[in-house]
Amino acid sequence: MLLIVGLGNPGGKYADNRHNVGFMAADAIARRHNFGPFSKKFQGEVAEGRLGGDKALILKPQTYMNESGRAVGEAMRFYKLTPADLLVLYDELDLVPGKVRVKTGGGAGGHNGIRSIDAHCGKDYRRVRIGIGHPGDKSRVTGHVLGDFAKADGEWLEPLLDAIANAMPMLAEGKDSDFMNKVSLTMQGKVPAQKEKPASAKPAASKSGGAAPTKKPAAKGKSHIHQARQNGPSIAPPTTGPMAEMLKKLLGKG
C-alpha cells in the first residue's frame, strides 16, 4: 500500500498559504482518482482509494506542520509500512513556482515538516517537492511561506495541481522520471517567466541596419606595408628630384 502525505497547517486561516500546497495537492489527487471522503484518523484526515490498481491512503496531518511526523509515524506503524511505501508532497522554496521534482532521501532543506517526518519515520522515502519560489531575502522567507498565493498565481497553480493529480499513477508505479516529464510537459507555457541573464554583447549595427563590418585578416604572404599600400589611398610617385632618380634606379626605368 502507498501512503501519500500532503503537508500543511490545519484550519481556514492557513488554507491558501504557500506552505499548504501539499494539502492542496492531496485534495486534487483525492478528487481526480475518486478516493473516499476524508475522515479523522492517525491525528490527521485520511481518505482511501486506489492508484495504478493498488490500494493507496492519503493523509493530511492535523498536528501542524512542525509535528507532521507524529501523524505519519502513527499511520505507518498501524499498516506496518516502510519508508519505501511513503510519498510526501510539500512546498519547496528552492524551486521556481510551477516546477516539481521528486527525490528519495536527502536532507530536510530547512523544512520543519520534513524534519519531523525524518525523525519519526527515517529518511529513505520519496519527496515530491512543489516549487513556490524564494522571496529573494532570507528575512522575508517566513512571510512568503505563510502568505497566501496571489490571485494571479491561479494561472499556474490550478494547472499544476491537476497535472500532479493526473500523473500520480506513474509515481505509484515507481516511474518518477515519467511523472516529472509529464508534469513538465503539461506546464509548458503556464509557468511564470523567470528573469533572463543579460544577453552577450552584439556587434554594433552599421548605418544600413546590418552588423558593423569587421576587419579582414591579413592575407598570407603579404606584409602589412603591402596591404597598407593596397588598401590605402593611391599616391603618385615623384617625377623629379633625388627621390625620382632613386626610384628609376631601383625599378630599372631609364
Side-chain angles (χ1 to χ4, degrees):
M1 185 181 79
L2 181 65
L3 176 60
I4 302 169
V5 177
L7 297 186
N9 285 308
K13 176 182 176 181
Y14 304 102
D16 296 321
N17 284 185
R18 294 179 181 87
H19 214 24
N20 272 39
V21 74
F23 274 9
M24 297 175 195
D27 288 337
I29 295 166
R31 288 193 302 269
R32 172 65 180 81
H33 298 283
N34 300 313
F35 274 57
F38 281 94
S39 60
K40 295 185 181 300
K41 196 174 184 179
F42 308 128
Q43 302 182 68
E45 294 183 353
V46 174
E48 295 184 6
R50 304 189 76 83
L51 280 174
D54 296 324
K55 184 177 179 180
L57 191 75
I58 294 176
L59 169 64
K60 297 189 295 182
Q62 300 296 294
T63 50
Y64 286 94
M65 183 68 80
N66 294 3
E67 297 293 337
S68 298
R70 287 168 42 203
V72 179
E74 188 175 328
M76 290 183 68
R77 288 189 295 274
F78 182 86
Y79 289 105
K80 296 180 173 60
L81 302 177
T82 68
D85 303 312
L86 176 62
L87 185 70
V88 181
L89 303 105
Y90 64 97
D91 55 297
E92 176 58 75
L93 277 167
D94 292 333
L95 286 177
V96 298
K99 295 290 185 182
V100 174
R101 292 290 182 271
V102 181
K103 71 172 185 176
T104 300
H111 196 289
N112 289 333
I114 295 299
R115 184 180 288 112
S116 177
I117 294 174
D118 287 352
H120 285 268
C121 310
K123 295 184 177 183
D124 296 328
Y125 57 90
R126 286 185 292 167
R127 302 138 192 252
V128 182
R129 303 155 61 213
I130 304 172
I132 62 169
H134 197 286
D137 186 337
K138 187 176 181 180
S139 65
R140 295 169 54 201
V141 165
T142 300
H144 178 74
V145 168
L146 294 179
D148 289 353
F149 281 108
K151 186 176 181 180
D153 289 330
E155 294 181 8
W156 62 265
L157 180 59
E158 292 303 324
L160 176 65
L161 296 175
D162 288 342
I164 291 172
N166 290 336
M168 188 54 59
M170 294 179 177
L171 280 184
E173 295 171 10
K175 299 177 180 178
D176 297 359
S177 295
D178 290 345
F179 167 84
M180 286 187 284
N181 288 337
K182 185 171 183 180
V183 172
S184 179
L185 287 172
T186 302
M187 292 303 295
Q188 284 184 5
K190 296 183 175 66
V191 178
Q194 301 300 305
K195 291 183 179 179
E196 297 180 356
K197 294 181 179 179
S200 57
K202 297 181 180 179
S206 67
K207 291 182 179 179
S208 61
T214 56
K215 293 182 179 179
K216 293 182 180 179
K220 290 183 179 179
K222 295 182 180 180
S223 70
H224 293 296
I225 296 174
H226 181 94
Q227 293 175 66
R229 287 175 178 166
Q230 187 178 50
N231 298 330
S234 178
I235 302 174
T239 57
T240 61
M243 183 62 74
E245 292 300 323
M246 185 178 70
L247 288 173
K248 286 178 181 181
K249 291 179 182 180
L250 288 173
L251 298 176
K253 293 181 182 180

